[in-house]
């Protein structure tokens, strides 16, 4: 999987909760990704999960939206000021 992770929404479903857990665990191991949050609900006899992965890029924005700080995958901090 690419280090660039701009799509961080993932969907899983399984007829059993144990099966859903196994599917999610397998996905995590295969993709070497952690989840930011998970939501599990029942839908028509299946256990369904919508998950958000930790994004590879994080941008911190000031309240007024003029200043941005981002950390790249190498841990370098970049600051951008828009006027």
């Amino acid at each position: 999987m690419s280090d660039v992770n701009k799509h961080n929404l993932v969907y899983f479903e399984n007829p059993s909760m144990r099966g859903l857990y196994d599917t999610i665990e397998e996905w995590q191991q295969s993709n070497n990704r952690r989840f930011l949050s998970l939501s599990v609900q029942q839908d028509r006899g299946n256990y369904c999960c919508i998950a958000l992965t930790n994004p590879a890029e994080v941008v911190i924005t000031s309240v007024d939206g003029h200043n941005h700080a981002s950390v790249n995958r190498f841990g370098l901090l970049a600051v951008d000021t828009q006027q």
Side-chain angles (χ1 to χ4, degrees):
M1 179 176 230
S2 168
D3 285 334
V4 177
N5 183 24
K6 293 187 182 206
H7 303 282
N8 66 336
L9 186 63
V10 187
Y11 177 81
F12 304 97
E13 70 179 326
N14 198 281
S16 75
M17 187 61 130
R18 179 62 189 185
L20 181 63
Y21 171 84
D22 290 340
T23 300
I24 293 170
E25 176 68 18
E26 181 181 321
W27 184 94
Q28 264 194 307
Q29 295 297 325
S30 297
N31 292 283
N32 199 27
R33 291 273 184 215
R34 295 184 304 167
F35 291 107
L36 183 62
S37 67
L38 298 167
S39 176
V40 176
Q41 303 288 323
Q42 279 190 288
D43 183 31
R44 298 181 186 163
N46 281 327
Y47 290 92
C48 304
C49 173
I50 295 177
L52 293 174
T53 61
N54 276 343
E57 60 187 41
V58 175
V59 177
I60 302 165
T61 305
S62 64
V63 175
D64 64 7
H66 291 285
N67 301 304
H68 308 282
S70 60
V71 179
N72 69 17
R73 65 187 175 115
F74 303 109
L76 299 175
L77 176 65
V79 178
D80 176 28
T81 303
Q82 299 176 357
Q83 296 180 10

